[in-house]
């Protein structure tokens, strides 16, 4: 069962606002003119609601319309993102959407080829996924033998070396680290030469849909397996790493560590 924090935040904001508002409108005045000779104390639930409503409202506005934090739970976007990275996602670049309903209310921005995007997983919209957009509406995309071709042009790859890590990501050691060029954007990907290639893909990307891949090409469940991401599933563009805290052995405190060099990094 997936926890829906957005729905909880909306509920808390609504309930605290209603309790505070109803009390202020109907009951607060009676307390002040109490015949007992002194002002009656404010009920605890009203006190909490009055104090917390502005906090809930501010967090709801920031998280729903401006920026939302996420934590990377898997290795599918290595080497760009590691397990334990905490990232920020721009919520307005692709259009502002209502929380819970996910209905776009204004804005017409579209993902560009190469953007790292967070979206609601098409097979289970309650689960957020993060991948890189490689195919936009109108593209003719082919993926075969671990090579990507867009509109008849093979995507340029440059070998940078063999990936190696002593910490998070060491399971990917031995993979090729390559620089991939998507338009004007270049970024690194990993390809495992010992792992067989996936089923070949050859398709035209329809309007309102996007083809996404993980940067860790041989360790990612993406559009090659479950299909395209519809525009209405988009959450936003990932742009910043604000914290890194790995705990691969969650019950082994010795494995908990912060990678200080990753903090403050832009996501390309």
């Amino acid at each position: 069962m997936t926890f829906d924090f957005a729905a909880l935040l909306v509920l808390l904001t609504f309930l605290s606002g209603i309790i505070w508002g109803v009390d202020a409108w109907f009951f607060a005045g009676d307390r002040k003119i109490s015949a007992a000779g002194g002002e009656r104390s404010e009920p605890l639930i009203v006190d909490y609601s009055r104090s917390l409503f502005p906090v809930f409202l501010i967090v709801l506005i920031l998280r729903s319309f401006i920026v939302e934090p996420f934590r990377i739970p898997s290795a599918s976007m290595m080497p760009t993102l590691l397990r334990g990275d905490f990232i920020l996602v721009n919520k307005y670049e692709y259009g502002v959407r209502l929380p819970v309903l996910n209905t776009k209310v204004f804005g017409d921005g579209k993902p560009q080829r190469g953007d790292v995007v967070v979206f609601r997983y098409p097979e289970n919209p309650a689960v957020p996924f993060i991948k890189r957009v490689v195919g936009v509406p109108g593209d003719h995309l082919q993926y075969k033998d671990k090579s990507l071709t867009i509109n008849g042009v093979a995507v340029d790859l440059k070998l940078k070396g063999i990936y190696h890590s002593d910490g998070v990501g060491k399971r990917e050691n031995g993979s090729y680290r390559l620089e991939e060029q998507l338009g004007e954007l270049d970024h690194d990907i990993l390809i495992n030469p010992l792992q067989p290639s996936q089923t070949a893909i050859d398709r035209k990307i329809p309007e309102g849909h996007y083809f996404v891949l993980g940067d860790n090409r041989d360790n990612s469940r993406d559009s090659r397996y479950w299909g395209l991401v519809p525009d209405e599933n988009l959450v936003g563009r990932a742009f910043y790493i604000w914290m890194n805290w790995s705990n691969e052995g969650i019950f082994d405190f010795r494995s908990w560590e912060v990678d200080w060099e990753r903090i403050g990094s832009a996501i390309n």
Side-chain angles (χ1 to χ4, degrees):
M1 180 177 177
T2 303
F3 179 68
D4 192 339
F5 182 74
L8 176 62
L9 188 56
V10 169
L11 180 63
L12 290 174
T13 305
F14 176 78
L15 288 178
S16 59
I18 287 294
I19 292 171
W20 181 26
V22 168
D23 178 77
W25 189 265
F26 294 104
F27 303 111
D30 291 340
R31 286 197 302 272
K32 291 182 180 179
I33 59 175
S34 170
E39 184 175 339
R40 287 179 292 178
S41 61
E42 187 176 64
L44 190 61
I45 189 172
V46 175
D47 183 34
Y48 280 146
S49 296
R50 178 171 51 81
S51 301
L52 294 175
F53 172 72
V55 177
F56 291 147
L57 182 61
I58 291 171
V59 173
L60 178 64
I61 291 172
L62 287 174
R63 187 181 183 277
S64 300
F65 305 124
I66 300 175
V67 66
E68 183 174 1
F70 288 90
R71 183 179 187 272
I72 303 301
S74 74
S76 70
M77 281 297 293
M78 288 180 57
T80 305
L81 297 170
L82 304 181
R83 283 188 299 271
D85 281 343
F86 289 79
I87 65 170
L88 295 179
V89 173
N90 181 313
K91 295 295 292 288
Y92 56 84
E93 187 164 333
Y94 303 146
V96 173
R97 302 168 193 267
L98 294 176
V100 183
L101 298 177
N102 299 306
T103 303
K104 186 184 292 188
V105 289
F106 64 86
D108 57 0
K110 303 292 184 183
Q112 303 299 307
R113 202 180 294 119
D115 285 359
V116 177
V117 299
V118 172
F119 56 92
R120 292 179 293 115
Y121 180 35
E123 294 188 349
N124 182 1
V127 178
F129 264 39
I130 183 167
K131 305 292 177 188
R132 189 179 298 276
V133 174
V134 300
V136 299
D139 281 347
H140 178 205
L141 187 141
Q142 297 167 294
Y143 190 87
K144 184 178 181 181
D145 296 330
K146 306 189 182 185
S147 296
L148 179 64
T149 300
I150 302 174
N151 299 325
V153 179
V155 173
D156 187 36
L157 292 175
K158 296 179 181 177
L159 180 62
K160 296 182 69 174
I162 305 299
Y163 182 80
H164 178 76
S165 173
D166 292 324
V168 175
K170 60 186 177 183
R171 298 172 188 171
E172 312 303 320
N173 286 350
S175 295
Y176 293 153
R177 183 167 188 157
L178 303 105
E179 181 181 272
E180 181 177 70
Q181 186 82 28
L182 288 176
E184 297 181 357
L185 178 69
D186 59 75
H187 56 274
D188 288 358
I189 66 171
L190 297 181
I191 290 180
N192 185 344
L194 301 180
Q195 194 162 323
S197 180
Q198 296 83 0
T199 303
I201 301 292
D202 187 337
R203 69 183 305 171
K204 184 80 174 284
I205 310 302
E207 191 63 33
H209 291 78
Y210 302 90
F211 192 97
V212 298
L213 292 175
D215 287 349
N216 191 355
R217 293 290 159 82
D218 295 308
N219 188 13
S220 173
R221 297 286 297 183
D222 46 43
S223 288
R224 293 170 293 181
Y225 299 93
W226 42 255
L228 304 176
V229 177
D231 181 79
E232 58 265 24
N233 283 47
L234 294 173
V235 173
R237 181 179 64 84
F239 69 95
Y240 190 74
I241 300 171
W242 64 273
M243 174 56 75
N244 171 279
W245 179 41
S246 63
N247 58 335
E248 290 191 81
I250 191 167
F251 296 112
D252 180 4
F253 293 97
R254 293 171 299 178
S255 71
W256 293 18
E257 58 180 304
V258 174
D259 187 341
W260 298 101
E261 293 184 357
R262 296 189 62 77
I263 298 175
S265 302
I267 299 174
N268 297 317

